[in-house]
Amino acid sequence: MKNNFFKLICLFTLSLFVLSCSNDDEQQAQKPTIDKIELGLGNNEIGIIGQDFHFNAEIKAGDKIKNVEIKINQIITETYSKAWSHQIIWEQYAGVKNAVVHKHFDIPADAAEGKYSFLIVVTDQNGTKIEEKRTLNIYAPENLPLDLKFDFGIDAVDSNFNNIRIMYSLGNIYHNGFYKSDEAINENEFLAPIVSVAAIKGDGRMYCLIINKKHNHKPETIASIDFSKAIVADFWEHKNLAESRAGSNMYNFATNPLTIIYPSIRIGAASDKNFPSPSPIINLKKWESGQYYVGFIYHNTTYNMTVFHYGEITVKMN
């Protein structure tokens, strides 16, 4: 009898221990997760001193986000001209379960060139955190394989490419200049997106896009363009350029000597200028009166470098 009682006590104690361990496992706080990390324009893991840097990550909290932090630190095995590090903490995501952290910030002017550790830290309100490490290469503009400065203009022109009025312009190759017209571009006028890039080499391609603002779609890479929403106003490419040179979608480098191109699309056209086959301008991208983004994305496939920019215009349909 005593033996049976002792066995019962042992079984009861063991079951309590197992149940306690099980509850501890169930109550253990879940860590946040990080996915779809992108560093640099076009996700090329390049930062340029004094210029815009792109960062993107999708965060899912175990409970709720407390903050998101990045740390750019020097690597002990690398050599630098001086000691330098950088840290940013974003607290605006506090209290949410999921967040797409899409940020643009300038690499500080006092940064030193070199290879860096790029650490992403997500802290959860439940006390847990996760860290993800990537590598970032920081260059001074003059030491880049390509320094993709650009000029961008949007003109209203007639069918012979004669200028009617300037709609938008931004220049940073030779001087800084900005202009935006308050006038609309009208149905049956032609929109001419004109892009010049200060230095191109090797292979590259560019899309000029017109996108209704109501879609909230401003792709930063060619791969992220949603062509169901984006009207292609122009497509341009170059191949096998041996030496760095200025480029523009007004010149065809495939001909010798190069020939002049007049990029334009009629407001109200039935089809766009997509390549190799034009796409009908219907459904989500059909023409209508309202506010539009007009921009370009240039990607150099040889050096894996991207530059993009968007202006805004008003379209008026009859």
Side-chain angles (χ1 to χ4, degrees):
M1 188 71 175
K2 288 182 179 180
N3 287 338
N4 290 338
F5 181 76
F6 180 76
K7 290 178 181 178
L8 287 172
I9 292 295
C10 289
L11 287 171
F12 180 73
T13 303
L14 181 61
S15 65
L16 286 177
F17 176 78
V18 171
L19 181 61
S20 174
C21 291
S22 176
N23 287 340
D24 287 343
D25 289 340
E26 290 175 2
Q27 293 174 5
Q28 186 176 7
Q30 290 186 337
K31 289 186 176 182
T33 61
I34 307 174
D35 193 20
K36 297 184 179 179
I37 297 170
E38 297 176 3
L39 302 184
L41 299 177
N43 195 25
N44 60 7
E45 298 186 343
I46 290 176
I48 306 169
I49 296 173
Q51 296 187 21
D52 179 61
F53 180 78
H54 161 86
F55 170 71
N56 187 87
E58 294 188 6
I59 310 296
K60 183 177 181 181
D63 180 19
K64 292 180 180 179
I65 296 171
K66 180 179 179 182
N67 60 47
V68 179
E69 179 181 8
I70 62 166
K71 300 178 181 179
I72 305 175
N73 294 318
Q74 293 178 335
I75 301 170
I76 193 170
T77 55
E78 297 290 324
T79 302
Y80 307 89
S81 62
K82 60 181 178 180
W84 181 84
S85 63
H86 191 58
Q87 178 184 23
I88 302 176
I89 300 176
W90 294 299
E91 297 183 342
Q92 65 263 43
Y93 304 103
V96 302
K97 176 72 175 178
N98 303 323
V100 177
V101 182
H102 184 177
K103 294 292 183 181
H104 283 265
F105 57 90
D106 286 349
I107 299 294
D110 64 343
E113 286 189 291
K115 182 183 291 185
Y116 285 79
S117 165
F118 191 101
L119 187 66
I120 309 158
V121 184
V122 179
T123 303
D124 203 300
Q125 290 184 357
N126 63 18
T128 65
K129 68 170 57 177
I130 189 172
E131 298 182 352
E132 288 282 345
K133 185 180 289 186
R134 295 289 190 274
T135 299
L136 178 66
N137 293 286
I138 294 181
Y139 291 91
E142 61 270 19
N143 293 327
L144 281 167
L146 299 175
D147 185 9
L148 299 179
K149 292 181 179 179
F150 64 89
D151 289 342
F152 179 50
I154 308 166
D155 292 352
V157 299
D158 63 20
S159 58
N160 294 316
F161 211 76
N162 295 310
N163 186 273
I164 298 174
R165 61 188 168 278
I166 298 172
M167 303 298 302
Y168 179 94
S169 66
L170 176 68
N172 60 18
I173 296 177
Y174 304 108
H175 60 85
N176 292 321
F178 174 76
Y179 173 78
K180 182 181 183 301
S181 173
D182 292 328
E183 293 187 69
I185 186 168
N186 302 303
E187 185 175 4
N188 292 321
E189 291 181 334
F190 288 76
L191 181 147
I194 302 169
V195 186
S196 297
V197 184
I200 60 173
K201 189 178 179 180
D203 296 352
R205 57 183 176 144
M206 178 171 64
Y207 284 88
C208 294
L209 307 171
I210 305 173
I211 306 172
N212 196 316
K213 283 188 68 175
K214 70 180 183 181
H215 297 313
N216 194 29
H217 180 54
K218 291 172 68 176
E220 299 179 1
T221 62
I222 290 174
S224 63
I225 298 172
D226 184 346
F227 289 100
S228 71
K229 299 174 182 176
I231 298 168
V232 179
D234 189 37
F235 173 85
W236 176 80
E237 65 179 342
H238 61 85
K239 294 182 178 180
N240 302 319
L241 292 182
E243 297 182 0
S244 179
R245 62 192 301 180
S248 171
N249 65 330
M250 289 194 68
Y251 298 101
N252 183 358
F253 288 119
T255 61
N256 188 16
L258 57 81
T259 52
I260 298 176
I261 305 170
Y262 300 99
S264 67
I265 185 171
R266 182 176 61 84
I267 301 298
S271 299
D272 68 7
K273 299 296 184 73
N274 205 352
F275 180 85
S277 300
S279 300
I281 302 175
I282 57 175
N283 299 328
L284 292 177
K285 56 185 184 181
K286 67 180 180 180
W287 297 105
E288 59 182 53
S289 296
Q291 300 296 308
Y292 280 77
Y293 296 123
V294 180
F296 72 92
I297 305 170
Y298 168 79
H299 179 69
N300 190 289
T301 53
T302 302
Y303 296 96
N304 191 26
M305 297 184 70
T306 294
V307 63
F308 71 93
H309 182 77
Y310 287 92
E312 296 183 15
I313 65 167
T314 302
V315 169
K316 183 178 180 181
M317 303 298 290
N318 296 331

